[in-house]
Amino acid sequence: MSRAPLLRPPRLSEPQRQERLRLLCAVKERVEEVADTAVAVMRAEIPSYAVQDAPFFADVRDQVLAHYRIQLALLADERRIEPEDLVFSRAAAMRRARAGFPLEDWINAFRVGRQVFWDAVLECAGPSEAAREAALSLVAPIMRYVDYAGSHAAQAYVEFQQHVVADADRERRDLLEQLLAGAAPGRGPLHAAAQAYGIGAQAPMMVVTGACVGGSRHTGEDAAAESGYATSAAVSSAGARGGRTLVVVRHGEIVAVPVLRTGMEPEDVCARFETVQRSLARDGTVLALGVSTVAHGVAELPRAYQEARSALDLVPPGGGMTALPRMSSFDYLALRADGIARQLVDPRITALLDEDDRRGGVLGRTVRAFADADMNLRVAAARLRVHHNTAHYRLRRIEERAGRNPRRIADLMELLVALALREAAGEDEDGQ
């Protein structure tokens, strides 16, 4: 804390000094009335104060009176403020922080108190020239007092909030560790925290893991923490339907446990986190996110966490999101395939697909459409918006060039596997 200011006025003549003391005594005689006015103005001008109850305003009035009385005493004695003089203010700041009042409202209350006090000084001064000069001599000391007292109280407020934030971080971390061990907290603060997030022993939940990837504007050893806090704020601002989402930064990764509340589907969670990922990317924080399938209760969260980690491994280097609820088992196996699986693809199929890629990929799209239509060529042709004969010609060409007949299930599966492996390899190479 900076050194306390000396509330000494400019050099005054003896008559001016006497007038100044008279003025201070006049304010002191009506100080309770001035305090009542200050409380009334705070109630009218500060929204978070306006909705409070009588005990709160009794506390505010006590604080205002204490400030006014010590200020009058210091101005009369012309001495330096000591930190001990403001112990009461520090305690009040912590009470406001604990109650959740915004810091700007707390500072605004100081502004109101100063303005009302100054109005009282001017009113008590009256019209005489000597009284006006005495009042003007108080301007600088009053401002120094308000500046020092306000800074002192704000420091106490911020210190308390920092402790609250640290405690909340520890509580979230402890809660997450217990959940990822498959155990629901049965009582105490962690049980209350779990309930606040909607987490129950049998609640349907998902796990989302994330990490900051190359290309982010935020670099350095604190990058993961910064991106984690940004993600937490973004998830909150995205508006999880019906409540908050537990988000924790741990061991260099971000872990979120969204609860599927009434009416929500896994796709709702996927869409919300995809929006978060894209929004943060536009702001320079590039994240990779992996999303699990649904865990039906806390006991399944360890499995869901491992799923989210596996999904995260499939995100390309450039960031993005891999969501298991959006994938089939076939898609997942193709993405997890290694180089050996690709080597097992018949070279004739590889050559056909290479040529097809150069020609725009119409044969590959035909194979997929034929499979999606349950091998009904007319339906596939309609979906491709081509004539039935055109679709038939394409299948015959595939059979001639690759030695695989798409009308046979085994051959169709082999073609689909080759296409899926090719697509997965292309995403890895392009970083899309």
Side-chain angles (χ1 to χ4, degrees), residues 333-349:
L333 290 173
L335 286 171
R336 298 292 294 183
D338 56 16
I340 296 176
R342 297 183 180 94
Q343 289 296 322
L344 293 175
V345 176
D346 190 316
R348 290 178 296 175
I349 298 177

Side-chain angles (χ1 to χ4, degrees), residues 31 43 63 69 105 200 204 215 224 228 238 266 287 307 311 335 340 365-366 371 385 391-392 394 405 416:
V31 68
R43 189 168 193 163
Q63 295 301 309
R69 283 170 173 156
D105 287 356
L287 295 176
E307 287 182 359
L335 286 171
I340 296 176
R365 289 195 294 274
T366 302
R385 297 183 179 181
H392 180 74
R394 291 177 182 177
N405 181 1
L416 289 171

Side-chain angles (χ1 to χ4, degrees), residues 274-413:
E274 185 174 47
T275 299
V276 167
Q277 193 277 333
R278 291 177 175 175
S279 175
L280 290 172
R282 288 194 296 270
D283 292 336
T285 300
V286 183
L287 295 176
L289 296 178
V291 185
S292 77
T293 61
V294 177
H296 296 282
V298 173
E300 294 187 9
L301 281 178
R303 182 264 302 164
Y305 173 67
Q306 293 304 321
E307 287 182 359
R309 291 291 302 273
S310 296
L312 183 62
D313 290 339
L314 300 177
V315 178
M321 186 181 82
T322 298
L324 296 185
R326 292 177 170 177
M327 301 173 65
S328 67
S329 57
F330 183 86
D331 296 330
Y332 179 77
L333 290 173
L335 286 171
R336 298 292 294 183
D338 56 16
I340 296 176
R342 297 183 180 94
Q343 289 296 322
L344 293 175
V345 176
D346 190 316
R348 290 178 296 175
I349 298 177
T350 300
L352 173 69
L353 296 180
D354 285 344
E355 180 184 349
D356 185 48
D357 283 345
R358 291 192 294 270
R359 293 176 178 271
V362 293
L363 297 183
R365 289 195 294 274
T366 302
V367 169
R368 289 194 178 92
F370 187 57
D372 290 342
D374 295 329
M375 302 175 71
N376 186 317
L377 189 57
R378 290 190 179 278
V379 173
R383 292 176 179 175
L384 290 168
R385 297 183 179 181
V386 298
H387 193 272
H388 172 266
N389 290 338
T390 301
H392 180 74
Y393 167 77
R394 291 177 182 177
L395 293 187
R396 189 171 69 247
R397 186 180 176 196
I398 291 169
E399 183 176 4
E400 292 172 353
R401 296 290 307 277
R404 301 296 188 278
N405 181 1
R407 296 180 184 276
R408 294 181 64 247
I409 291 178
D411 287 356
L412 179 60
M413 286 300 299

